[in-house]
Amino acid sequence: KIDDQLDLAARGFVTTSVEIQAEKNQLSLSRIFQWYKNDFGGQDGVLDFIIRTLPAGEGRQFLVEARDKLRFHYAPYDWRLNSA
């Protein structure tokens, strides 16, 4: 069950921390993806992970179609979460 639980956690994180701004060809996401992009295989790997993890729909389709012209924006990290 651990794989299912990890998949569920990843989906929840991506769903709440990724914002697609199609009009700007921009993908806003958690700075964690910037810090650990090498663990995903670089920026393309991050995008592949997000595409795989997002629920099927217009947002995911947009990312597939616009991947070559997307700009990445990384949101500031809220360090207060670490003190909770």
Side-chain angles (χ1 to χ4, degrees), residues 2-75:
I2 189 70
D3 287 336
D4 293 336
Q5 292 170 335
L6 289 170
D7 287 343
L8 183 62
R11 283 191 180 94
F13 180 72
V14 168
T15 301
T16 59
S17 68
V18 172
E19 180 183 352
I20 300 168
Q21 298 169 327
E23 67 283 351
K24 295 180 180 179
N25 285 324
Q26 182 168 295
L27 181 63
S28 296
L29 55 162
S30 170
R31 190 158 308 265
I32 291 172
F33 286 111
Q34 182 182 36
W35 294 333
Y36 294 99
K37 71 181 172 191
N38 290 337
D39 294 338
F40 290 93
Q43 189 165 299
D44 284 339
V46 168
L47 185 55
D48 290 339
F49 174 79
I50 291 169
I51 290 170
R52 251 190 344 266
T53 308
L54 277 176
E58 292 177 16
R60 186 163 74 177
Q61 186 61 36
F62 169 77
L63 294 180
V64 169
E65 293 171 1
R67 77 177 294 137
D68 293 332
K69 58 185 175 182
L70 276 177
R71 293 180 312 134
F72 282 60
H73 172 265
Y74 297 97

